[in-house]
Amino acid sequence: MKGSEFQVVGHPRRRVDGRAKVTGKTVYADDIVMPRMVWMKLLRSPHPHAKILSIDPSRALAHPGVMLVLTGKDLTIPYGILPVSQDEHPLCQDKVRYVGDPVAAIVARDELTAFEAMDLVDVKYEPLRTFAEPEESLQHDEPRIHDYCGQGNIHKLINLQFGDMDKGFGEADEIFEDRFFYQGNNHLALEQHASVAAVDLDGKVTLWSSTQTPHYVHRALAKALEIPAAHIRVIATSNGGGFGAKSDIFHHEVCAAKAALVLGRPVKVCMTREEVFYCHRGRHPVLMEIKTGVKKTGEITAMHLKTLVDGGGYGSYGVASTFYTGALQTVTYDVPRYHFQGCRVFTNKPPCGPKRGHGTPQPRFGQEIQLDKIAERLEMDPADLRLKIVAKPNTVTANYMRIGTIGLAECIRRVVDVSDWKKRFRKLPRGRGVGIACASYLSGAGLPIYWNKMPHSGVQLKLDRSGGVTAFCGCTEIGQGSDDVLVGLVAEVLGIEPFDIRAVTADTDLTPVDLGSYSSRVTLMMGNAAIQAAENARDQIAGVIAKHLEIPRNRLVFADRRVFDAENPEHGVSFQEAVCLSEAKLGTIGAVGSYTPPPSPARYKGGGVGPSPAYSYSAAVAEVEIDEETGWISVPKIWMAHDVGRSLNPTLVRGQVEGSVYMGLGEALMEEQTFRRLPSRLSNALVHKFPSILEYKSPTTHDMCDVVTEIIEDPDPNGPFGAKEVGQGPLLPIMPAVCNAVFDAVGVRIDEVPVTPEKVLKALDLQRRGKEGRYGPEKFPDVPWPNPSVIPPPIEGGDGSAIDQPDSAKKKAKVNQP
């Protein structure tokens, strides 16, 4: 054995049966020399859509330093984040579906050698027709990108009608019909995707990965590798940014684990920035058509929303994403009757998925611009119109989302006041303007991805004789501060300092399940579980200490690292002593807590997307300056008010708000995931236009505007100490607020993002020629919609069930609802 390839590790002498399985002989721990880590690279398809005719890895395997080449035949079990879209393989089986789809994994002694060997794997392809746009996928059923689609290349069709739409539009004095387009974009997390997999001395595999969802990665690995989940450990490392980019299961994670099992060596893989763009799972491009009926006084009578969603090459979160393009339109403003039609199609581009706001920024963009158009026609102030139609607290919406607290009206009033809106709107010189927009978002999804009755989050506490506490939870720290929230809540209940608590998180072997850091769920769900666990621990201690101090339990106070009598604070013990006394009486002190969201009133098929224990609300005012000669847009300032329920950590809350503003500004002005065709002499492939941070534009510190943050507190009883989400909601109003400000500045409508100088100039040119000064989509394509499921809304006496749903669908919906 070469010393350069192995490292010696010392352990007490014991038989290591798992290791014997890997090497084929019985060995002992003190005989083991651990092999050094090797590197893996993925060979990716240069074609957007093609059959794989053959893969020959022989030349690569003969290359010095190459240890293994995996192909599709080595990993044949499909997987996917959603149970309805198990359509991905770690390595492609017989077809590639976008440029960048992985076809082979090369493992070598170092990254450069693996990179060199990629050119030595011989793959023969048969190119197929490429579908570049959703309209093409609608027009042509063949060749199918996925055979499981029931209708051509359509992945999902939704048609949900909540009430008598003819009656709703018949009650309207004005009806508005508008079309909008929201371009897709990438998360652009600074840290690329990376993983390390290793087989331990027992023959079990451990994966360290930059992931937001270790629980779901754990589940997918067990399926794809065909080994028991109990023999797999997933540890989510602290993420250098996620924003949804790392909430799926990725090829490199499964391939690294497989390679580690085959070689018995640790295997490392790190994506390049170009590969991150290929992995994608970013914002879906969405075309929208919105029809809204309003009375002269501004009240909405009915709304009909259609969305066409470009899903890329695989399912990912796409079914849920499509539902989210319509699910939350009713929780911001009062919409008594509502019709939602959504269509997601496959195209030969990297798969889209969840990006901050997951499916909701696109329709929010359209609705908020349309509301400005409504206010203009009705000659109302846009802020006053929104105040008039704000949804009411403690109500059930037309599509059966239960609203609890809602601080949106206060958000609007506060942001109008601090921005001096009344003195700026329609009163600034030409070229300068202000715009307003509002939004809502969920504080965690009401249902898990795999429907079951188990908790969504669990917390375990271990109380030590030293006075320290260890908090175990499966939640993932991705920079949002979830570890701080965990220890802060436990410290608050036990009356100790956060520094006294050690957080152990996101380790599937050590921590109870938490479903992941997505959908702004962690603070509310993990927070409630943490409080419950801490209260259980406190109750154990209180029973012992009350007897020790000879006082009633209800007089005990836990504060300042002490447990003492509220009526005589000097009469008490330290927290450390309290734990020791309790352990002497009860044995080891530990406690658990868990959280499951309340049931949803939605009983129809499709009602599982959108319900949440609580909704947050935001209102933003953006100021813009426009150079009419160049079309250049500057945003000097944004005012944001966000209803967070209760601010558990104001510094973290402001950081999340300002981060959302930054990301929203990029989506509003410059970010777009676009593609181009290579010349036919170079294969005519559909390739990513800007697969690097150098070319893919995102705001720098010089582009970032001043932000005035107003925290609105309206404690929600479903949240931990009243807290609601703040990680995603504040992003949603930024894009429409900027577009509405552009109209106030120069009188032209830009009905799509990003709002580039070229689009502004084209709209200004139309305005100068006496035409409508607008840039945006003109039509919505024909879609083969199924018959609608009709669900009477509360205003028509409905109970959340569909009245025309087939019996089989009714039974399924009833079984799957909590």
Side-chain angles (χ1 to χ4, degrees):
M1 290 181 287
K2 295 180 180 179
S4 62
E5 293 189 5
F6 294 86
Q7 56 187 358
V8 179
V9 294
H11 296 279
R13 188 172 182 85
R14 62 184 177 87
R15 180 168 173 162
V16 188
D17 292 326
R19 199 69 183 170
K21 292 176 184 176
V22 175
T23 63
K25 62 179 180 179
T26 300
V27 294
Y28 292 87
D30 55 356
D31 298 327
I32 290 174
V33 284
M34 292 295 290
R36 294 191 182 276
M37 184 172 67
V38 292
W39 280 79
M40 185 178 78
K41 296 294 291 183
L42 296 179
L43 175 65
R44 299 178 180 273
S45 166
H47 300 281
H49 198 196
K51 291 181 180 179
I52 300 174
L53 301 179
S54 66
I55 302 178
D56 182 2
S58 57
R59 289 198 302 140
L61 287 168
H63 188 66
V66 172
M67 299 176 175
L68 178 68
V69 176
L70 295 173
T71 62
K73 65 181 177 60
D74 299 303
L75 291 158
T76 60
I77 306 299
Y79 64 89
I81 188 67
L82 299 185
V84 296
S85 299
Q86 301 284 299
D87 60 3
E88 295 192 62
H89 288 83
L91 298 167
C92 295
Q93 301 293 297
D94 55 4
K95 182 191 281 191
V96 295
R97 295 171 173 88
Y98 63 93
V99 171
D101 221 356
V103 296
I106 299 93
V107 183
R109 64 191 176 197
D110 55 58
E111 190 174 22
L112 180 59
T113 301
F115 185 80
E116 292 171 346
M118 288 168 62
D119 290 336
L120 302 177
V121 179
D122 297 311
V123 186
K124 293 183 179 179
Y125 298 95
E126 180 185 316
L128 299 171
R129 180 190 184 119
T130 300
F131 296 93
E133 300 297 337
E135 291 79 3
E136 296 176 56
S137 299
L138 287 172
Q139 291 168 4
H140 303 282
D141 290 345
E142 300 292 340
R144 294 194 177 192
I145 296 175
H146 288 281
D147 293 335
Y148 73 84
C149 290
Q151 192 169 352
N153 286 305
I154 296 175
H155 181 210
K156 183 64 180 177
L157 285 170
I158 302 166
N159 196 351
L160 299 173
Q161 182 178 320
F162 302 93
D164 186 338
M165 300 306 294
D166 290 338
K167 181 176 180 181
F169 285 115
E171 293 173 353
D173 296 313
E174 299 273 2
I175 295 177
F176 294 78
E177 293 189 59
D178 295 283
R179 280 154 292 281
F180 305 92
F181 177 66
Y182 201 107
Q183 181 59 273
N185 47 66
N186 191 263
H187 314 81
L188 216 66
L190 287 181
E191 179 202 32
Q192 297 117 266
H193 300 66
S195 299
V196 173
V199 179
D200 65 20
L201 298 179
D202 294 321
K204 299 177 182 179
V205 64
T206 299
L207 178 78
W208 293 264
S209 191
S210 181
T211 178
Q212 297 175 231
T213 53
H215 170 66
Y216 290 120
V217 172
H218 184 247
R219 186 185 184 113
L221 284 176
K223 181 183 180 185
L225 299 175
E226 299 182 273
I227 59 178
H231 298 173
I232 301 170
R233 180 183 186 185
V234 177
I235 300 172
T237 57
S238 295
N239 284 202
F243 316 116
K246 299 165 184 172
S247 57
D248 213 326
I249 301 111
F250 289 96
H251 313 91
H252 66 275
E253 294 171 319
V254 184
C255 290
K258 177 68 174 181
L261 285 166
V262 173
L263 294 173
R265 290 172 174 265
V267 178
K268 181 176 182 177
V269 57
C270 181
M271 302 290 99
T272 65
R273 179 59 59 179
E274 183 175 356
E275 288 180 296
V276 171
F277 279 98
Y278 293 145
C279 290
H280 194 41
R281 318 296 159 129
R283 186 86 71 213
H284 284 80
V286 178
L287 176 66
M288 296 158 277
E289 183 174 88
I290 307 177
K291 178 182 177 182
T292 303
V294 298
K295 295 182 178 179
K296 292 180 180 178
T297 50
E299 290 89 349
I300 296 172
T301 62
M303 180 183 295
H304 182 185
L305 168 64
K306 297 178 184 178
T307 64
L308 177 59
V309 181
D310 184 345
Y314 289 93
S316 184
Y317 281 84
V319 171
S321 307
T322 307
F323 275 107
Y324 273 126
T325 62
L328 300 190
Q329 294 304 93
T330 59
V331 301
T332 311
Y333 307 112
D334 185 17
V335 181
R337 292 179 175 88
Y338 179 53
H339 188 182
F340 168 56
Q341 294 175 296
C343 172
R344 186 182 193 260
V345 298
F346 288 119
T347 57
N348 294 120
K349 293 182 280 192
C352 299
K355 185 187 175 185
R356 203 172 193 170
H358 192 190
T360 64
Q362 299 96 319
R364 177 57 48 198
F365 171 77
Q367 186 179 16
E368 291 298 318
I369 294 178
Q370 189 181 64
L371 281 175
D372 253 44
K373 296 181 180 183
I374 292 171
E376 185 78 10
R377 176 89 62 86
L378 299 181
E379 298 181 344
M380 294 180 67
D381 183 300
D384 294 339
L385 171 64
R386 287 169 170 83
L387 276 172
K388 182 181 281 286
I389 61 175
V390 165
K392 296 176 178 58
N394 303 311
T395 57
V396 175
T397 69
N399 58 337
Y400 291 90
M401 305 294 119
R402 181 181 285 115
I403 300 173
T405 59
I406 173 169
L408 180 55
E410 180 58 26
C411 287
I412 296 172
R413 286 190 283 265
R414 186 76 64 86
V415 82
V416 164
D417 180 53
V418 297
S419 68
D420 214 4
W421 169 267
K422 295 294 184 180
K423 294 182 180 179
R424 290 170 176 263
F425 179 65
R426 295 288 188 266
K427 295 179 175 66
L428 294 174
R430 184 172 175 85
R432 293 180 59 200
V434 290
I436 191 170
C438 300
S440 55
Y441 197 64
L442 44 86
S443 298
L447 288 172
I449 290 175
Y450 289 82
W451 286 6
N452 59 69
K453 295 182 179 180
M454 291 182 283
H456 291 211
S457 186
V459 171
Q460 294 176 329
L461 300 181
K462 178 183 74 70
L463 279 67
D464 191 79
R465 299 174 187 179
S466 66
V469 176
T470 304
F472 299 88
C473 183
C475 63
T476 309
E477 175 62 71
I478 60 172
Q480 83 280 39
S482 60
D483 284 2
D484 293 287
V485 171
L486 172 62
V487 301
L489 291 172
V490 173
E492 179 71 19
V493 174
L494 296 181
I496 57 180
E497 293 298 313
F499 194 65
D500 299 331
I501 301 171
R502 181 180 299 278
V504 177
T505 56
D507 184 328
T508 60
D509 260 16
L510 301 182
T511 62
V513 168
D514 178 273
L515 298 183
S517 290
Y518 63 92
S519 294
S520 281
R521 56 176 301 285
V522 173
T523 291
L524 189 140
M525 298 192 183
M526 175 271 287
N528 278 320
I531 289 173
Q532 185 184 91
E535 288 175 342
N536 289 339
R538 186 184 62 189
D539 288 346
Q540 294 177 55
I541 295 171
V544 173
I545 301 306
K547 290 181 181 179
H548 178 76
L549 298 179
E550 298 180 337
I551 61 173
R553 286 177 59 143
N554 60 7
R555 279 171 43 189
L556 281 179
V557 175
F558 286 69
D560 300 325
R561 293 178 171 144
R562 297 181 67 241
V563 184
F564 56 87
D565 184 355
E567 296 182 4
N568 181 15
E570 298 300 318
H571 185 47
V573 297
S574 69
F575 181 79
Q576 178 185 0
E577 186 179 356
V579 172
C580 291
L581 289 168
S582 300
E583 185 174 342
K585 183 72 174 177
L586 304 175
T588 301
I589 304 300
V592 298
S594 60
Y595 178 76
T596 302
S600 165
R603 300 168 61 188
Y604 58 90
K605 186 177 181 181
V609 177
S612 179
Y615 297 95
S616 72
Y617 295 88
S618 305
V621 169
E623 180 182 1
V624 303
E625 297 174 353
I626 298 176
D627 184 329
E628 293 192 63
E629 289 188 6
T630 63
W632 190 260
I633 306 166
S634 300
V635 181
K637 199 166 190 176
I638 287 177
W639 297 263
M640 168 66 73
H642 181 72
D643 166 25
V644 70
R646 173 166 288 163
S647 177
L648 300 179
N649 185 323
T651 300
L652 290 179
V653 169
R654 291 182 185 278
Q656 287 293 308
V657 170
E658 292 173 12
S660 291
V661 171
Y662 165 81
M663 187 170 280
L665 199 61
E667 295 194 23
L669 298 179
M670 60 189 75
E671 293 190 39
E672 52 184 337
Q673 174 114 329
T674 56
F675 299 80
R676 62 188 176 90
R677 291 275 195 179
L678 290 177
S680 56
R681 62 184 174 82
L682 296 176
S683 81
N684 199 38
L686 184 71
V687 298
H688 199 296
K689 194 174 182 180
F690 304 122
S692 76
I693 291 182
L694 179 65
E695 297 166 302
Y696 179 95
K697 300 304 179 187
S698 181
T700 67
T701 54
H702 297 291
D703 302 306
M704 183 58 180
C705 62
D706 290 335
V707 181
V708 176
T709 302
E710 294 289 319
I711 299 174
I712 307 301
E713 295 191 282
D714 184 9
D716 192 291
N718 283 334
F721 299 130
K724 299 194 289 191
E725 82 86 35
V726 67
Q728 303 187 58
L731 176 144
L732 275 66
I734 302 304
M735 296 74 70
V738 168
C739 288
N740 290 335
V742 169
F743 180 77
D744 186 42
V746 292
V748 298
R749 290 285 181 191
I750 311 299
D751 287 344
E752 66 174 60
V753 290
V755 185
T756 61
E758 295 83 359
K759 296 172 185 177
V760 172
L761 289 176
K762 288 179 181 179
L764 286 170
D765 181 62
L766 290 171
Q767 183 189 64
R768 293 188 189 103
R769 291 191 282 128
K771 298 181 179 181
E772 181 186 12
R774 175 185 178 272
Y775 187 97
E778 298 294 337
K779 62 180 181 179
F780 192 94
D782 292 332
V783 174
W785 303 112
N787 292 328
S789 289
V790 179
I791 305 100
I795 196 174
E796 294 179 8
D799 64 357
S801 301
I803 59 176
D804 65 342
Q805 218 169 267
D807 290 340
S808 60
K810 285 183 180 179
K811 290 177 182 177
K812 184 177 180 181
K814 186 175 181 181
V815 168
N816 286 333
Q817 294 297 332

